[in-house]
Amino acid sequence: MPIVQELKRRNVIKVAIAYAIVAWLLIEVTATTFPMLRLPDWTATFVTVLLMIGFPVALIFAWAFEITPEGIKLEKDVDRSQSITHITGRKIDYLIIAALSIALVFFAFTHDWRGEEGQDADSTADKSIAVLAFTDLSPEGDQEYFSDGISEELLNVLAKIPGLRVAARTSSFQFKGQNRDVIDIGQQLNVALVLEGSVRKAGLQIRITAQLVDASNGFHLWSETYDRELVNIFAVQDEIAAAIVGALKEHLGLQVAAVPRVIAAANTEAHETYLRGRYLVVQRTTVTLEGAVREFEKAIALDPDYALAHAELAMAILLLRRYGDMNLTEAITKATPHVERAMALDPTLAEAHAATGFVFWEQRNPGKALTHFRHAIRINPNYAIVHNWIAIVLGGQLGRYAESFAATETALRLDPLSIPGRVDYVFALIDRNRLDEAALAMEKLASIAPVKYAQVRGVLTSLGGKWANVILGYLDGLRIDPEIAGSRLVMHYYFAAIGLEKEALAIRDTPLLTTLWFLGKPEDAVTIVEARLVDDPLSRTASALGIALAGAGDYARARPILEEMWQRSGERVTLALFRTHDAAALIAIRRDAGEEGGIDELVAAIKDNVRRLHEAGIIRTGLLSDANYEEGLADFLVGEREKGLALIAKGAEDGYFIMPRLAYLQALYDDPGFAPIRAGQEARQKRERDRFLNIVCNDNPYAAVWQPEEGTCERFAATAGN
């Protein structure tokens, strides 16, 4: 057709193709980069509209004008014999090829980036929601526990919907009272939608207002106000949940067969008491946990068949062992009946399985603990804290380190502002020597938990044997908050590592066993363990008695304990149940009895643990654990002396502390090849001790929260430079 031929001659078709490719590329670039630059949504739309308007203009220009050696002219003014449209056409061909190449590279890059970095985008970020703490608008302002409870129960209902990622309470409640921009909150939590609202409660009248907001632009997608009598709060919550799910179906395309129901109590009073307990338990202090236990007990007294209250009471009791003065025997004895009652009342309750797993975990039964934790996750895939517990059980007790790290990542994705979750993740990266990633992940702590940031920074900068940095980091944390739980415990054994015995023993009334081993006092460790077991027979120190006795040279008493631990561990070495030092002690005990049989299996178990560490990328260069040291010790114990000593030396150079005066390691201490390793450790101890004392003995910056013991600085001044 003449018109088609003329379009080809004038390069109109090629211009159309080139324009379309370049325009598509520009649209894709703006769609990708403008949100990253936080430009308004209309800017990308404006570019698209502008390019669409330009398309017919470009075609008209190509038809009416021609490029000549003298410049651009109207096509009718160009002599056909002098036309160079064929040359211009080839240039446009090159442009098309170049544009296609750039487009392919861009597509490959963005596809790969979205596939790796934004893997959650399709599966989670696009189908995700955060439930913020509802504002208490009650006349007296004394119903915060109730408004928090309404929010949390709606969160728990949404968390059970398949295919929907729900930000955990820890993260979404971080913004309570801050009046932050919803778009900023969405970016912080990596969610598509935000549910916010308020509660006004006066007597038996309640008004609940809720609104669903698009976190990408702040537009309200749905809102409703519910004025009800406080006769059946559960029906109101179910009504709100059903409305929210309806909005989610519309805006996210979720397929929800049935809306999960709020777990009801027999009466409103029991429910309110339960809400007060939940409000207290999440604060994780001794006082609030004790208060939570009392509230849950009241809720059960009002409704003996309240399964959720039984489960939460059990977990609050077990947490008191960690945050309060309750010992393990007392905690398990008190928690177990409530765990059993919760399971009997409602075996489909995620919290019942979480509490049951918690008890088994404390009883050092990781197999059953993991079974119940996984069951809780099947019921509620967004149960972030249980993902954290799974990570600890898998890593410490079962030695499944790669799976443990995956669970840690999942927990942090669900609860991105969780302080324990982020700390665990940073330490997991440090263990793998992924230090740049650890430093980047740690920065988030600076704003949400400055104390933890100071502590973790101290650990991160301590690698390679700079042990004093850990103490300085924890002292920095104490300056921010002198009452922070656990700060002094970590300094306890680091003081011992740098040879400050008086400082190590002064931190707490009863020394940690690790501290005594670092100080070369295994006999004192035995005394303390035996005293603890009198008051707390189920204590985890029961297993520590075996290694303490072996360290002190009491092999006769140590052997039955260590043999039982070996059997209970499934004849497997891990980081918690039966460790490399437990295996080394049992090897020494069997050899002392003239029994070489069974030694190879213990050595093989140590090496299998090292293999699993390496497969998970773990190097664990640090004070308490090191894969090189553990592998080297295994080699040394089976007679591969030179290879073993070389690996032990490597572990010591990287910062592992080799404990002195342990009877079961006497063969290592006596080996001439160990002497330079010991000398190197002693030199490091002195270097780190002098470096630390040079800071705190001269205008001590930590004087308000910590002071060296009497005489320490005087001795340092007398020996400085020696």
Side-chain angles (χ1 to χ4, degrees):
M1 296 175 63
I3 185 64
V4 174
Q5 293 301 322
E6 188 62 16
L7 288 171
K8 288 182 178 179
R9 190 189 72 78
R10 298 191 188 194
N11 294 315
V12 175
I13 295 175
K14 289 183 178 180
V15 168
I17 295 172
Y19 190 99
I21 294 171
V22 172
W24 174 85
L25 185 58
L26 288 172
I27 290 170
E28 284 294 305
V29 169
T30 56
T32 302
T33 60
F34 280 21
M36 295 169 59
L37 298 173
R38 297 193 176 184
L39 296 177
D41 290 344
W42 63 263
T43 54
T45 304
F46 176 76
V47 170
T48 302
V49 172
L50 197 63
L51 290 169
M52 291 173 65
I53 294 172
F55 184 66
V57 175
L59 297 185
I60 293 170
F61 187 90
W63 174 266
F65 293 88
E66 184 176 327
I67 299 174
T68 72
E70 291 79 26
I72 298 174
K73 295 182 178 181
L74 285 168
E75 195 279 334
K76 65 183 179 64
D77 295 335
V78 178
D79 185 345
R80 291 289 179 95
S81 64
Q82 301 298 316
S83 175
I84 61 169
T85 55
H86 60 291
I87 297 174
T88 305
R90 283 199 298 273
K91 291 180 179 179
I92 296 174
D93 288 339
Y94 297 147
L95 174 63
I96 292 171
I97 292 170
L100 279 171
S101 299
I102 294 171
L104 287 170
V105 170
F106 179 80
F107 176 78
F109 173 78
T110 55
H111 176 75
D112 181 65
W113 173 74
R114 286 167 183 160
E116 292 182 9
E117 299 297 330
Q119 183 175 354
D120 304 338
D122 292 333
S123 59
T124 57
D126 288 344
K127 296 182 179 180
S128 54
I129 188 171
V131 180
L132 305 186
F134 281 25
T135 305
D136 174 26
L137 298 181
S138 302
E140 302 300 325
D142 58 350
Q143 299 296 311
E144 185 179 0
Y145 75 92
F146 191 82
S147 57
D148 279 7
I150 295 291
S151 317
E152 186 174 4
E153 290 181 330
L154 288 173
L155 184 155
N156 289 335
V157 168
L158 296 176
K160 296 170 185 175
I161 296 176
L164 180 65
R165 179 171 66 84
V166 182
R169 181 196 194 281
T170 312
S171 289
S172 58
F173 277 40
Q174 286 270 354
F175 303 99
K176 183 162 65 170
Q178 295 185 18
N179 196 27
R180 294 277 287 274
D181 180 64
V182 169
I183 297 175
D184 180 41
I185 293 173
Q187 291 171 344
Q188 291 264 3
L189 300 180
N190 189 30
V191 293
L193 303 176
V194 169
L195 180 70
E196 58 182 4
S198 62
V199 175
R200 179 182 175 87
K201 180 171 174 279
L204 293 178
Q205 298 300 314
I206 184 168
R207 167 175 286 187
I208 300 175
T209 300
Q211 50 258 354
L212 191 63
V213 184
D214 187 329
S216 67
N217 52 34
F219 292 160
H220 282 218
L221 303 176
W222 165 89
S223 64
E224 191 62 72
T225 298
Y226 300 84
D227 288 306
R228 301 288 187 274
E229 283 193 5
L230 196 60
V231 177
N232 189 345
I233 185 60
F234 310 108
V236 180
Q237 289 175 279
D238 284 336
E239 185 181 354
I240 298 172
I244 295 168
V245 170
L248 294 177
K249 285 181 180 180
E250 177 183 348
H251 294 286
L252 297 182
L254 285 174
Q255 302 298 316
V256 183
V259 180
R261 305 292 298 273
V262 173
I263 299 168
N267 58 71
T268 302
E269 189 178 356
H271 175 248
E272 286 204 44
T273 306
Y274 163 80
L275 291 182
R276 282 194 290 269
R278 279 296 304 160
Y279 178 77
L280 292 168
V281 79
V282 297
Q283 297 176 48
R284 293 290 199 274
T285 69
T286 303
V287 173
T288 60
L289 283 169
E290 289 172 345
V293 167
R294 288 192 295 270
E295 294 298 334
F296 291 139
E297 287 174 339
K298 290 178 189 175
I300 291 169
L302 291 164
D303 179 5
D305 294 336
Y306 199 175
L308 190 56
H310 282 286
E312 290 288 356
L313 173 57
M315 287 189 280
I317 290 169
L318 293 169
L319 286 169
L320 258 179
R321 188 195 73 78
R322 303 184 178 205
Y323 292 88
D325 297 327
M326 188 179 294
N327 65 43
L328 184 59
T329 302
E330 183 182 1
I332 290 177
T333 301
K334 288 184 174 181
T336 299
H338 296 289
V339 165
E340 293 172 348
R341 183 65 175 150
M343 286 293 290
L345 288 167
D346 189 356
T348 67
L349 186 64
E351 289 81 358
H353 285 279
T356 304
F358 203 157
V359 169
F360 282 123
W361 178 19
E362 294 285 34
Q363 292 174 329
R364 298 174 79 82
N365 190 333
K368 288 187 176 181
L370 188 61
T371 296
H372 284 281
F373 285 157
R374 290 208 185 282
H375 200 119
I377 292 300
R378 282 195 293 273
I379 297 168
N380 179 0
N382 292 284
Y383 208 158
I385 188 65
V386 177
H387 284 285
N388 251 335
W389 295 346
I390 287 173
I392 297 170
V393 170
L394 284 171
Q397 296 187 336
L398 294 175
R400 291 156 59 177
Y401 307 116
E403 294 176 70
S404 173
F405 185 59
T408 298
E409 290 181 305
T410 299
L412 189 62
R413 188 174 70 251
L414 291 170
D415 201 356
L417 299 185
S418 164
I419 296 169
R422 185 158 293 273
V423 169
D424 288 348
Y425 179 64
V426 172
F427 283 152
L429 292 174
I430 293 173
D431 288 346
R432 288 157 176 78
N433 208 36
R434 292 161 57 177
L435 303 184
D436 290 342
E437 294 175 70
L440 186 63
M442 181 185 72
E443 287 303 315
K444 188 68 176 177
L445 290 170
S447 59
I448 64 174
V451 173
K452 283 295 180 186
Y453 174 76
Q455 295 172 348
V456 175
R457 182 181 56 196
V459 174
L460 184 60
T461 58
S462 74
L463 303 183
K466 299 175 183 176
W467 299 327
N469 285 2
V470 177
I471 305 174
L472 294 171
Y474 275 77
L475 285 173
D476 285 334
L478 280 175
R479 283 199 299 188
I480 299 169
D481 184 356
E483 302 302 321
I484 194 73
S487 291
R488 299 176 188 275
L489 294 184
V490 174
M491 291 192 297
H492 195 25
Y493 50 83
Y494 274 92
F495 275 135
I498 67 175
L500 290 176
E501 179 175 332
K502 290 179 69 175
E503 280 68 18
L505 297 178
I507 286 183
R508 61 197 312 261
D509 295 335
T510 305
L512 294 172
L513 300 183
T514 304
T515 301
L516 295 172
W517 287 322
F518 280 11
L519 292 173
K521 298 177 178 290
E523 296 83 4
D524 291 354
V526 172
T527 301
I528 287 176
V529 172
E530 289 178 328
R532 284 182 186 169
L533 289 176
V534 172
D535 297 326
D536 190 7
L538 296 181
S539 168
R540 290 181 180 178
T541 53
S543 59
L545 181 59
I547 193 71
L549 290 166
D554 192 343
Y555 288 176
R557 293 174 61 201
R559 179 164 190 172
I561 299 172
L562 290 172
E563 293 283 9
E564 182 185 357
M565 288 171 57
W566 172 237
Q567 295 302 317
R568 289 187 62 184
S569 72
E571 300 186 351
R572 195 178 213 204
V573 169
T574 63
L575 296 177
L577 284 183
F578 192 83
R579 299 159 298 180
T580 291
H581 269 263
D582 296 316
L586 192 51
I587 288 170
I589 290 170
R590 288 179 177 178
R591 278 192 171 146
D592 185 67
E595 303 172 15
E596 286 295 320
I599 289 177
D600 287 345
E601 65 182 8
L602 288 163
V603 172
I606 297 174
K607 292 202 167 189
D608 183 61
N609 186 53
V610 172
R611 175 189 61 78
R612 283 179 275 114
L613 288 169
H614 285 317
E615 286 179 352
I618 296 176
I619 299 171
R620 298 188 67 81
T621 51
L623 185 73
L624 296 172
S625 181
D626 183 89
N628 285 318
Y629 170 81
E630 295 185 19
E631 184 176 7
L633 184 60
D635 289 333
F636 182 86
L637 292 173
V638 292
E640 296 183 34
R641 175 181 170 276
E642 291 186 5
K643 179 183 176 185
L645 287 171
L647 285 168
I648 290 170
K650 178 67 170 65
E653 289 168 10
D654 288 338
Y656 179 76
F657 186 91
I658 302 173
M659 291 177 279
R661 288 201 68 240
L662 296 176
Y664 60 85
L665 289 184
Q666 195 59 48
L668 174 64
Y669 301 151
D670 290 343
D671 191 289
F674 183 70
I677 299 173
R678 175 166 35 213
Q681 177 163 296
E682 290 171 351
R684 176 178 285 111
Q685 276 188 298
K686 184 179 188 309
R687 180 200 73 199
E688 291 300 297
R689 180 170 62 250
D690 289 352
R691 187 163 69 87
F692 174 73
L693 292 177
N694 190 53
I695 294 171
V696 299
C697 290
N698 296 291
D699 194 19
N700 180 10
Y702 308 104
V705 294
W706 178 86
Q707 295 275 4
E709 291 299 301
E710 185 178 352
T712 294
C713 289
E714 289 75 9
R715 287 190 296 273
F716 168 63
T719 59
N722 296 333

